[in-house]
Amino acid sequence: MNYETQLKDWLLSEPIRMSALKLVADFFAENEVQDWYIAAGFVRNLVWDKLHDAPASELKDIDVIYWCHEETSIYRDKLIELALTERVNLPWSVKNQARMHKKNNHPAYSSCLNAMSYWPEKQTAVAVKLDENDQLVIDSVFGLETVFNLTVNYNPKADESVFMKRVSSKPWFNNYPRLSLEL
């Protein structure tokens, strides 16, 4: 199976996800931000839903990440969330990765993909965006097989206690019974 082709087909069949991608692409194009994605559960949960023959999960939050070193205040992220919500009322969660290293006690991130390389579980470090021609671009720091193989793996760059807390607090294993935990 070609994981990228499969994932693109699944995304294209999801009108809400595609409209969210288009909205964010247009917003960041207007604001001249090129390093952005919608990441984490937006992509991961879709794959796990499909591999479990389940309908697409409700979007409880849409993790919009971007990297901009010029303005790193949380206030800017909140303004972007508000602007997106005014266009489409969805559960936006916007984070500038140029500041998130401070919260996580990591070295400064140099890009969205570099920031994702520190996320606690490998399966969450998968992201999608639309390019300037409205074509899907999928990036996964650890490879798409990590999300397709139905495991949850600890990322050694992350704090193991944060990983374990996420594993115990997320409903992943209830929602996706074929998942397995691999440390």
Side-chain angles (χ1 to χ4, degrees), residues 164-175:
M164 294 309 293
K165 183 183 254 185
R166 285 178 54 80
V167 166
S168 65
S169 69
K170 299 284 185 177
W172 297 331
F173 297 97
N174 290 330
N175 294 348

Side-chain angles (χ1 to χ4, degrees), residues 51-68:
L51 294 176
H52 279 82
D53 296 319
S57 301
E58 176 186 347
L59 293 171
K60 293 188 177 14
D61 67 344
I62 299 175
D63 294 300
V64 176
I65 63 171
Y66 70 103
W67 193 90
C68 176

Side-chain angles (χ1 to χ4, degrees), residues 42-57:
F42 184 87
V43 182
R44 180 200 61 226
N45 291 359
L46 177 63
V47 172
W48 289 351
D49 289 336
K50 295 295 187 180
L51 294 176
H52 279 82
D53 296 319
S57 301

